[in-house]
Amino acid sequence: MILLLFISIITFFVINLLDGSTSSFVASIIVYIIGLFFSYNVEHDKRRYSIKLFFIVYTIYLTSAYIFSLSFQNGNYFLLSDPINYLHEFSFNRDNSFEFYLQYFYDGYFKLSDNNVLYNAYVRLSALFANSFLDGGSVLYATLLNTLFGILSTTVLYRILLRYFSTKKAYKYALYFSLLSLFHFYSVVIVRDIIIAFFYLLVIEVVLKKYSTKNLIKLLVLLLIVWGIRLYSGLFIIVFILYYVYVPLRNSKFKPIILPLYILLLIFLVITSSIVVEQSLEEIKLYQEFSIEKGEVSGGLSNYLLNLPFGIKQVALTIYSQFHPFPPYAPLLSATTFSQYYMSVLTFIYSVWWAFVFFPLLLFLFLKGVLKKMPIEFKLLFSIAIIFIMANTAHIDIRRMMPVYPIIYLIFLNVKDYIIPRKTYRRINNLILFLFLLFSAIYLFLIG
């Protein structure tokens, strides 16, 4: 523990000396303090591993954030262009009066004039702080605004895993996920998706607990928060709320009338929130049009899948999206700097690692009969996760699907540890590896 503390502090000073920015120095301290205190928010006998987890993740995420930031200096970008738009906020003197934000939030929440009002305000106020009291916002400073939530996500995931696994296993599995999944990549780049994923983790943590009115209020508050970050992601939390209310009632004397009431409630929600639904669908449609304009789906397999009949298309895109990008080494072919190579390697790692989580789980559930053995809660949560992924297949960008990845991961771990024999697990992994090598070879053959 002392060694990890020492390494995290040394990393803190080295990275900030390299960056040479006061704003990054202040942000690094704030992230460290908040992350450390957040890691204490576990049961006393589980706290040691939580703090240990924080030291490791903070050290690696801070290092990655600095390396990533090098690819977004001076208006440059690599793999994604969204960070450049947010970095522009640090170059303008905007109206930041109380009256402005009062009107801004009113228009965003009640008139739906902006579907990410809360995140925009977060970035603008952070830019105001850096420009007014520090030396201006560096790229690393802007990155750490998001990295904070990636670090906090690790602690929440650890708390969730503690419900099903021993302390050591929960620590190990949380560490694997934080370093090998796409949470690592999107925690160290300037996009809002990791913040949404963090609040979704809080939602997942709540719905796994026993029903209480207090927890229901928490879900409603989380809905409003995510609503302000991305409209349709917030809207989808209604499904989790319905799940949370349904689970304790499913075995009650009211069971015969629950399903009809839920159907009527869903119809009511659709009718009363038609404007919200319309705007959410418009945003999803814009993502698809954006993909076409960029040429990301102008040809090849993804273009073929988008032209499949409705229903089949969503299933095919769901499966395809979970091993994306394919081939996973594609970003390496366009990298030219150390930072770009580092980003490409992390992309390769999360793409391959997640394939060995998602696809074995599908085979376990539907070919090995595991679905019948799972508790009803996991069946419903798995269905919710798949529906969320399918709803985001209009634009094949897995960062918009990542909020439900912890659900997939939790179910996978339970199946792997408690249901599937170890020999079967190894055979399935070997099969996935063979298919990966086969499809990679076919891809190389086809492109010559």
Side-chain angles (χ1 to χ4, degrees):
M1 183 74 76
I2 299 298
L3 178 61
L4 290 174
L5 170 63
F6 179 74
I7 292 173
S8 68
I9 293 174
I10 291 297
T11 302
F12 165 83
F13 282 109
V14 170
I15 293 300
N16 280 283
L17 282 173
L18 290 172
D19 188 69
S21 166
T22 304
S23 62
S24 299
F25 179 79
V26 172
S28 300
I29 292 176
I30 293 173
V31 171
Y32 197 97
I33 293 172
I34 295 175
L36 184 59
F37 274 99
F38 201 79
S39 67
Y40 273 82
N41 190 26
V42 297
E43 295 177 25
H44 186 268
D45 58 330
K46 313 290 195 307
R47 194 171 294 161
R48 181 174 178 273
Y49 279 98
S50 179
I51 297 171
K52 184 178 177 181
L53 189 62
F54 163 74
F55 286 147
I56 296 174
V57 173
Y58 177 86
T59 299
I60 295 175
Y61 275 26
L62 180 62
T63 303
S64 295
Y66 171 71
I67 297 173
F68 271 46
S69 71
L70 300 177
S71 290
F72 297 92
Q73 304 283 349
N74 304 317
N76 297 315
Y77 63 89
F78 182 69
L79 296 185
L80 65 169
S81 59
D82 299 44
I84 298 302
N85 298 326
Y86 294 118
L87 286 170
H88 285 163
E89 288 293 334
F90 292 84
S91 305
F92 298 105
N93 293 318
R94 298 184 182 275
D95 182 4
N96 283 292
S97 64
F98 176 77
E99 292 76 13
F100 165 78
Y101 282 105
L102 194 63
Q103 187 64 44
Y104 186 51
F105 281 108
Y106 176 80
D107 292 342
Y109 273 99
F110 293 98
K111 295 184 179 180
L112 305 178
S113 61
D114 190 345
N115 58 20
N116 57 346
V117 57
L118 204 55
Y119 184 70
N120 284 344
Y122 174 57
V123 172
R124 289 181 63 160
L125 289 171
S126 300
L128 174 66
F129 175 74
N131 293 334
S132 301
F133 303 103
L134 305 172
D135 58 347
S138 67
V139 178
L140 179 57
Y141 170 85
T143 304
L144 291 175
L145 298 177
N146 302 278
T147 305
L148 168 64
F149 292 91
I151 294 172
L152 300 184
S153 294
T154 304
T155 301
V156 180
L157 178 62
Y158 172 68
R159 295 201 306 246
I160 292 172
L161 294 175
L162 283 173
R163 297 175 58 86
Y164 303 93
F165 304 98
S166 67
T167 305
K168 289 185 179 180
K169 275 195 173 183
Y171 160 77
K172 180 178 69 173
Y173 290 150
L175 185 62
Y176 288 164
F177 189 85
S178 64
L179 300 185
L180 301 178
S181 77
L182 74 170
F183 269 56
H184 184 177
F185 185 98
Y186 288 108
S187 294
V188 294
V189 71
I190 310 167
V191 290
R192 55 185 162 157
D193 301 271
I194 190 60
I195 302 179
I196 295 171
F198 165 72
F199 286 111
Y200 259 71
L201 268 166
L202 293 178
V203 169
I204 295 166
E205 185 179 32
V206 170
V207 300
L208 289 173
K209 295 178 179 179
K210 187 177 180 181
Y211 177 85
S212 71
T213 304
K214 180 181 177 181
N215 284 334
L216 183 60
I217 294 172
K218 285 182 181 178
L219 290 176
L220 292 172
V221 172
L222 290 169
L223 184 153
L224 290 174
I225 293 172
V226 179
W227 184 299
I229 302 172
R230 178 181 289 134
L231 180 60
Y232 73 82
S233 297
L235 182 68
F236 193 83
I237 292 178
I238 294 174
V239 178
F240 284 96
I241 294 175
L242 293 176
Y243 162 85
Y244 187 61
V245 175
Y246 169 77
V247 168
L249 292 177
R250 73 183 191 280
N251 294 321
S252 69
K253 61 182 179 181
F254 303 105
K255 184 177 180 179
I257 63 173
I258 290 176
L259 185 58
L261 283 176
Y262 263 57
I263 293 174
L264 291 174
L265 179 59
L266 286 171
I267 293 172
F268 173 77
L269 287 171
V270 170
I271 293 174
T272 56
S273 59
S274 59
I275 298 176
V276 176
V277 174
E278 182 180 349
Q279 185 165 338
S280 300
L281 293 175
E282 281 296 318
E283 184 176 357
I284 294 173
K285 184 179 178 182
L286 283 174
Y287 289 142
Q288 183 173 350
E289 292 172 352
F290 179 66
S291 297
I292 295 172
E293 288 174 6
K294 286 181 66 178
E296 294 174 357
V297 293
S298 58
L301 180 60
S302 53
N303 186 50
Y304 172 76
L305 295 176
L306 283 168
N307 290 317
L308 290 173
F310 181 81
I312 298 176
K313 176 176 69 175
Q314 278 69 33
V315 173
L317 286 172
T318 296
I319 295 173
Y320 173 68
S321 68
Q322 299 309 293
F323 191 30
H324 193 75
F326 184 82
Y329 55 78
L332 285 164
L333 303 178
S334 57
T336 57
T337 66
F338 171 74
S339 175
Q340 293 175 358
Y341 278 112
Y342 185 81
M343 293 177 68
S344 301
V345 168
L346 286 192
T347 302
F348 180 91
I349 290 172
Y350 78 62
S351 177
V352 174
W353 184 80
W354 187 249
F356 282 87
V357 171
F358 184 81
F359 294 112
L361 179 60
L362 287 188
L363 294 176
F364 295 152
L365 294 180
F366 299 108
L367 296 184
K368 296 296 181 179
V370 171
L371 188 63
K372 296 178 182 179
K373 301 176 183 178
M374 285 200 325
I376 184 66
E377 291 84 359
F378 277 5
K379 290 178 183 177
L380 291 173
L381 285 173
F382 179 77
S383 300
I384 290 171
I386 294 300
I387 290 170
F388 185 85
I389 291 173
M390 283 186 170
N392 282 275
T393 55
H395 175 52
I396 305 175
D397 193 336
I398 52 175
R399 62 188 168 113
R400 295 185 177 89
M401 305 173 184
M402 64 187 279
V404 296
Y405 276 26
I407 294 176
I408 302 292
Y409 186 57
L410 173 63
I411 295 173
F412 165 77
L413 292 175
N414 273 273
V415 170
K416 179 182 77 71
D417 279 21
Y418 300 129
I419 300 178
I420 289 292
R422 189 170 297 180
K423 288 184 178 179
T424 303
Y425 175 67
R426 284 200 295 265
R427 284 200 300 268
I428 293 296
N429 271 349
N430 290 335
L431 174 62
I432 298 298
L433 178 60
F434 169 75
L435 292 175
F436 165 68
L437 295 174
L438 175 64
F439 286 128
S440 296
I442 293 173
Y443 176 85
L444 287 172
F445 176 77
L446 291 176
I447 67 171

